[in-house]
Amino acid sequence: MDVSPRSEPRTAPARSRSETRRRLLQAGTALFARRGLHRVTSHDVARAAGVAAGTFYLHFEDKEALFREVVFQAVRGLRERLDAVHRRGLARDAAVRARAEELLGFAEENRELVRVLFGRDHDTAGVGQDALDFLAETSERNLRQRDSAGGCGLHPAVTAQALVGMWARVAAWWAAAPSGVSREDVIETLVRIQLSGTQSAPSAPPHRSRP
């Protein structure tokens, strides 16, 4: 699967096509976030982007192709943020907290998209799984590098799948805001689970309602 970012176009026609594509992606992101995948049509996206309906199909095969690109554009951003944490060379405790903070920052900035992608919308299940695999590849690579420098000794592939699955589930649940759990409580819990598991952690922090 090619999910690499596109290079900047150099000619005027190419820049015009790129701008149209950008507007379609922007319109699609907003519509998918508000309505989910199955309640958006390609005509809805074209109209919101201010282009003719036929223009949509010059850039995307169908709305599912657009949705996939919207998702991976967002997920690439998250992967870059997680990679930046890894490159900082933080101690394990600080790195775990920094990754949790980036995850919650991503969920805040893309709340509705996270809810649609990793929530109960079965229409997006395939794209959601591909996005998780994409993130797990990065997590596994970073874990292998850490293990080569004297890490925790857990199997990197299994650990990556477990962590990414936990992150996605928590992000989708928190994005839907079913119980008003604060950002700080989510971060603290994720950090303690990853560092200490569920049995050896100290007593839970006091619950704080989200403002």
Side-chain angles (χ1 to χ4, degrees), residues 88-181:
R88 288 164 63 188
L90 300 172
R92 180 169 178 255
D93 289 18
V96 168
R97 184 170 296 277
R99 284 194 295 270
E101 289 172 348
E102 291 296 350
L103 171 69
L104 266 290
F106 175 82
E108 283 181 317
E109 295 160 18
N110 301 274
R111 183 179 298 277
E112 293 305 313
L113 187 59
V114 166
R115 181 184 58 76
V116 169
L117 182 60
F118 298 126
R120 301 178 183 276
D121 189 341
H122 297 293
D123 288 341
T124 67
V127 179
Q129 186 59 55
D130 287 345
L132 293 181
D133 288 344
F134 182 59
L135 288 173
E137 290 174 6
T138 299
S139 181
E140 181 181 347
R141 184 187 68 239
N142 292 342
L143 286 166
R144 288 187 185 279
Q145 290 174 359
R146 190 186 73 190
D147 273 3
S148 67
C152 63
L154 296 174
H155 194 291
V158 178
T159 305
Q161 291 293 332
L163 289 176
V164 169
M166 177 179 69
W167 293 342
R169 179 62 188 140
V170 170
W173 170 79
W174 188 71
S179 59
V181 178

Side-chain angles (χ1 to χ4, degrees), residues 34-52:
R34 288 201 305 270
R35 304 181 192 173
L37 176 62
H38 63 284
R39 295 178 60 194
V40 174
T41 68
S42 58
H43 285 202
D44 292 334
V45 177
R47 184 165 54 250
V51 301

